[in-house]
Amino acid sequence: MKKLLAVSLTAALMLGTMTMTGCGAGGEDKPTLNVYNWGEYISDGTDDTLDTIKEFEEKFNVNVQYDMFSTNEEMYTKLKSGSVSYDVIIPSDYMISRMIKEDMLEKLDMSNIPNNQYIMEKFKATDYDPTGEYSVPYTWGTVGLIYNSTMVEETPDSWNALWDERYKDNILMFLNSRDAFGIAEKLLGYSQNTTDEGEIRASADLLKQQKDVLQTYVMDEIFDKMEIGEAAVAPYYAGDAVTMIAENPDLGFVIPKEGSNVFIDAMCIPKGSPNKELAEKFINFMCDTEIGVANIEKICYSTPLTNVYDALPDEVKNNPIIYPSDEVLSNCESFVNLPDETNLLIQDLWNEIIAE
């Protein structure tokens, strides 16, 4: 999920799109596909990796406008406002459920997405998309603790580490209401999908208490801070933990004993896309074996596709951060779309927390 892309790459992608949009070889017009994805969530041509977007543009003689978001809520708000239009988006499970409920997604024509045959059984007929008509899974993963072994006194095994006075001013926290509340709820022994107002308010109180020991709230900024040793411990997504550990071997990752979140990010088409068939071709392309392997090896998340999984090297399949054991996963739960009044309560409480 999730998810930093270097500013220089962002600028390069935008410049490339601006100079190419509407004009192809020989001056012919090309359609433009608008894609909205998390940052650092695709094989982008850096570090000798395959440039997925360029490959698609060349194969289908199109242009791709590729934009990035940091949280599901940011993506949702932008689309809900109606100020922008995208052809492909890659939200997380609970947000897909919400967008289906609010009639914000197109039903997919699976005849244009034959690679859906490779979706693993456990990722079909999901709670967030029971009929499988609105989404095709892209990746899955878990949330856990990233810690610097040179800055903590022992390997943390609990979400309590994010409230530990010993690490005051060296603790980072999600700038993301759903993930932040989910952590507090797990620490208090609640479900991450609780709708009980008392439990939600107790979780908010715990998050307010945490502010005394926090260095700052982060999303994409976590990469720089953890990789260069500016913080001792932080929560983040497993795939990004693998990326950070590769840059700084002092870092480690653990799923706390209280349990955590397991998520699925999936490809969808927003309602009213003017390029629906082309968008479906893009979704299918992303599920091709070569493209899927390139994406997974670049972003280090887990694949929900059998063809991609079978083609991955054993060192990836055997990495317990990327593919946790069934025992670890049995202690995790997936977010579901909460009732509107619960979402509003959480957002109001979160606004109070970060404003104080």
Side-chain angles (χ1 to χ4, degrees), residues 48-298:
D48 297 321
T49 59
L50 186 70
D51 189 333
T52 302
I53 295 299
K54 183 178 179 181
E55 291 286 325
F56 182 79
E57 288 178 326
E58 291 179 351
K59 181 173 181 177
F60 292 95
N61 193 31
V62 299
N63 295 318
V64 175
Q65 171 66 48
Y66 187 81
D67 295 335
M68 292 159 288
F69 55 88
S70 297
T71 70
N72 283 290
E73 288 70 26
E74 174 191 342
M75 179 276 306
Y76 169 83
T77 300
K78 195 169 182 180
L79 268 70
K80 193 70 172 178
S81 72
S83 60
V84 294
S85 176
Y86 288 100
D87 301 301
V88 179
I89 57 173
I90 306 182
S92 301
D93 36 32
Y94 72 95
M95 188 55 72
I96 293 170
S97 178
R98 180 176 184 176
M99 296 179 81
I100 292 173
K101 178 184 175 183
E102 297 180 16
D103 195 30
M104 294 177 66
L105 299 179
E106 297 279 2
K107 287 187 177 182
L108 303 178
D109 181 351
M110 291 301 178
S111 67
N112 292 325
I113 313 174
N115 283 332
N116 71 30
Q117 66 182 299
Y118 298 119
I119 299 172
M120 297 177 184
E121 283 300 319
K122 62 183 176 181
F123 297 108
K124 297 178 180 178
T126 56
D127 290 341
Y128 65 87
D129 184 6
T131 65
E133 295 177 286
Y134 295 92
S135 64
V136 172
Y138 178 54
T139 65
W140 66 275
T142 57
V143 174
L145 283 174
I146 304 170
Y147 61 92
N148 189 316
S149 61
T150 69
M151 300 176 69
V152 299
E153 295 184 14
E154 67 276 318
T155 300
D157 66 352
S158 168
W159 290 119
N160 264 325
L162 297 174
W163 279 259
D164 196 323
E165 290 281 349
R166 293 175 295 176
Y167 311 127
K168 181 179 173 67
D169 297 328
N170 279 308
I171 297 172
L172 307 177
M173 186 57 167
F174 276 118
L175 183 61
N176 171 332
S177 60
R178 192 68 195 268
D179 280 322
F181 269 83
I183 289 170
E185 287 159 354
K186 278 297 185 186
L187 188 52
L188 292 171
Y190 307 147
S191 167
Q192 292 183 318
N193 295 308
T194 183
T195 58
D196 182 279
E197 183 174 345
E199 294 181 350
I200 292 170
R201 289 189 179 277
S203 300
D205 289 340
L206 187 60
L207 290 169
K208 288 177 183 178
Q209 295 169 25
Q210 186 192 36
K211 294 193 73 173
D212 291 336
V213 297
L214 282 187
Q215 180 188 119
T216 190
Y217 295 101
V218 296
M219 288 302 295
D220 295 347
E221 304 88 345
I222 191 174
F223 288 83
D224 287 340
K225 287 183 173 292
M226 294 305 295
E227 287 175 4
I228 65 176
E230 285 191 354
V233 63
Y236 220 61
Y237 311 106
D240 295 317
V242 174
T243 300
M244 285 183 259
I245 291 169
E247 293 296 322
N248 182 352
D250 289 332
L251 300 179
F253 179 84
V254 63
I255 295 177
K257 60 187 178 183
E258 295 90 0
S260 188
N261 171 242
V262 58
F263 59 83
I264 303 170
D265 293 336
M267 297 174 283
C268 308
I269 300 177
K271 202 78 171 183
S273 162
N275 300 298
K276 184 172 181 290
E277 184 174 346
L278 182 60
E280 289 163 344
K281 290 179 179 178
F282 180 83
I283 291 172
N284 189 67
F285 177 80
M286 294 286 275
C287 298
D288 282 349
T289 302
E290 180 185 9
I291 300 302
V293 169
N295 286 333
I296 292 299
E297 289 189 332
K298 173 65 177 180

Side-chain angles (χ1 to χ4, degrees), residues 6-20:
V7 173
S8 59
L9 176 60
T10 305
L13 283 169
M14 293 178 67
L15 179 61
T17 303
M18 288 164 53
T19 56
M20 290 164 45

